[in-house]
Amino acid sequence: MKKIITILILFVFFAAQSVDAQLAKNSWAVGAGFDYPRFVNSNITATSANYGAYLSIQRNFTEHVGLRLSGAYLHLEGEWGAPVTTTVNNTIAGNLNLLYYLVPCEPVSPYFNVGGGVAYRMLSDQATPGVEDNAASGVFNAGMGIEWHLGNDFKLVTEGNYNLVANSEFDGALGVGEINGKDSYMTAKIGVLYYFSKGEPSKYCKLYSGLSVEQKSAPIDYARIEEIVQRYIPKEVVKEVVVEKPVKEEKRWVLVGVNFEFNSAKLTPESYPILFDAAKTLLANPELKVEIQGYTDNIGSEQYNKKLSQMRADAVMKYLIAKGVSADRLTAVGYGESNPIADNKTAEGRAANRRIEFKVK
């Protein structure tokens, strides 16, 4: 039996690894499965003749946070006395739980849950005379689980919970001097979750999937970029190739390597890795708001260059929004040929001046 369970777990694990995690920014799901409940810290001896089942409906508000309403039927047994008598507890429970996913974009996604609800017990052969057969009690519960992605809409759920009952009569037995104490029980569950409604696909998770097809290109000549940085761009302005939050008082980033096709606002292939790092930096620092500044060289009229630089700044802004950066954190402004950082008399100088800068607000 243990070998079968091990093989099943390994099968589910490798199946989950082979499926891309499809996540939406908000979604609805229904779930169903089996529960294994067991008395814990009770005044009777817990047995293994327990079983249960559950139904749930769940709303995920963000990639990390969800709310779940569930109902369950639980059959628990415990032994006491000599000769041995078995107390049977048939419980109907309802719970509302807050869920927090640690790594929501992964195909194997662990989470924590915490919440509470009501448990209505139906006892027989209780150990302490006078304990009510049928009664409702408040329950606090906490636990953790794992969602295993089996497809775009289906997940396997495994979860363990500790449940604390608000009185000491849940197991049908009162200990010596025990009044208004607390009984508890644990549950282990396995089931299936089906996402029947999904909102906008998660842009946040796209950062985990690497670059898109259009972003693949020949290797980037970082040596040449470094040479341009050292020759033309003041060290107090540049923060390498925008992979960190700026820490200097002069909060400007020069996105070295972000280039455009000639006389166009279309980004060249080598620009995408730089912008990809910039998007990760902004998502990791949600308090930052930036002005995206577009610049050109001095070839052409000043009016035309200002229009072109605005189009280029807008193109960068659209890319960042597509990667999940909130639009209200970004503004795009074209400054044309003003504020050159290199000599427009040389080809390399003009290339350095055709740039994008971030100014932190």
Side-chain angles (χ1 to χ4, degrees):
M1 184 66 179
K2 290 183 178 179
K3 288 184 178 179
I4 295 175
I5 294 174
T6 301
I7 292 171
L8 179 61
I9 292 173
L10 290 174
F11 171 78
V12 170
F13 177 79
F14 287 111
Q17 292 293 330
S18 66
V19 178
D20 290 332
Q22 302 294 321
L23 193 67
K25 199 170 184 179
N26 56 74
S27 55
W28 285 90
V30 292
F34 300 100
D35 261 320
Y36 175 76
R38 187 181 178 89
F39 286 122
V40 179
N41 295 330
S42 62
N43 296 310
I44 60 177
T45 302
T47 72
S48 299
N50 308 306
Y51 53 87
Y54 74 90
L55 295 172
S56 68
I57 184 166
Q58 180 174 322
R59 170 71 190 276
N60 287 2
F61 298 97
T62 69
E63 291 86 351
H64 285 284
V65 179
L67 196 63
R68 181 182 67 199
L69 179 65
S70 62
Y73 166 75
L74 307 173
H75 176 92
L76 301 96
E77 294 187 9
E79 296 177 343
W80 58 276
V84 174
T85 301
T86 300
T87 294
V88 176
N89 180 330
N90 290 300
T91 290
I92 297 174
N95 291 289
L96 184 65
N97 287 73
L98 182 68
L99 292 82
Y100 183 81
Y101 293 87
L102 299 176
V103 284
C105 302
E106 299 299 327
V108 179
S109 180
Y111 62 88
F112 291 106
N113 71 87
V114 63
V118 176
Y120 183 80
R121 70 174 185 268
M122 293 168 280
L123 291 171
S124 61
D125 296 322
Q126 51 266 52
T128 302
V131 172
E132 292 185 60
D133 294 346
N134 304 328
S137 305
V139 178
F140 169 81
N141 54 72
M144 69 175 300
I146 300 175
E147 287 187 1
W148 310 74
H149 295 243
L150 302 180
N152 288 350
D153 300 319
F154 286 93
K155 297 180 184 178
L156 177 72
V157 177
T158 55
E159 184 178 302
N161 288 289
Y162 179 79
N163 306 269
L164 184 65
V165 185
N167 62 53
S168 58
E169 299 181 352
F170 186 76
D171 59 3
L174 294 175
V176 177
E178 183 181 22
I179 300 175
N180 294 326
K182 302 289 188 295
D183 282 340
S184 59
Y185 64 97
M186 53 153 276
T187 55
K189 67 173 61 177
I190 183 169
V192 175
L193 196 62
Y194 170 64
Y195 283 83
F196 64 88
S197 176
K198 292 184 178 181
E200 179 185 355
S202 173
K203 295 175 181 176
Y204 170 75
C205 289
K206 288 183 180 179
L207 290 177
Y208 289 85
S209 61
L211 304 178
S212 65
V213 174
E214 69 168 344
Q215 297 167 7
K216 294 180 180 179
S217 61
I220 301 171
D221 190 350
Y222 285 105
R224 181 173 177 275
I225 291 175
E226 181 65 21
E227 181 184 351
I228 295 173
V229 170
Q230 293 178 357
R231 183 179 301 181
Y232 296 107
I233 304 176
K235 291 182 178 180
E236 66 272 11
V237 173
V238 73
K239 183 67 176 175
E240 293 186 352
V241 185
V242 190
V243 294
E244 299 178 35
K245 178 181 175 181
V247 296
K248 297 182 181 299
E249 290 299 321
E250 180 68 19
K251 292 187 177 181
R252 292 169 61 204
W253 300 339
V254 178
L255 274 68
V256 180
V258 174
N259 300 311
F260 299 86
E261 293 187 4
F262 177 73
N263 197 31
S264 170
K266 185 177 181 180
L267 289 159
T268 54
E270 66 270 15
S271 303
Y272 289 103
I274 313 302
L275 290 176
F276 184 77
D277 282 338
K280 287 197 296 184
T281 302
L282 290 171
L283 288 171
N285 298 277
E287 77 281 3
L288 289 182
K289 294 185 177 182
V290 298
E291 179 183 271
I292 303 167
Q293 301 179 342
Y295 293 93
T296 67
D297 57 30
N298 66 348
I299 296 178
S301 69
E302 184 175 346
Q303 182 178 1
Y304 177 79
N305 284 336
K306 189 168 184 179
K307 180 180 178 181
L308 180 60
S309 65
Q310 180 67 54
M311 293 169 61
R312 289 174 171 175
D314 289 338
V316 171
M317 182 175 174
K318 289 177 181 177
Y319 176 92
L320 295 174
I321 292 173
K323 286 300 178 185
V325 181
S326 177
D328 59 13
R329 297 172 57 195
L330 307 172
T331 56
V333 181
Y335 288 93
E337 60 191 61
S338 62
N339 303 323
I341 59 173
D343 190 348
N344 275 309
K345 293 180 181 179
T346 66
E348 287 187 338
R350 290 192 294 272
N353 287 330
R354 296 191 296 269
R355 69 193 188 278
I356 291 291
E357 290 189 16
F358 285 178
K359 181 180 179 181
V360 180
K361 296 182 179 180

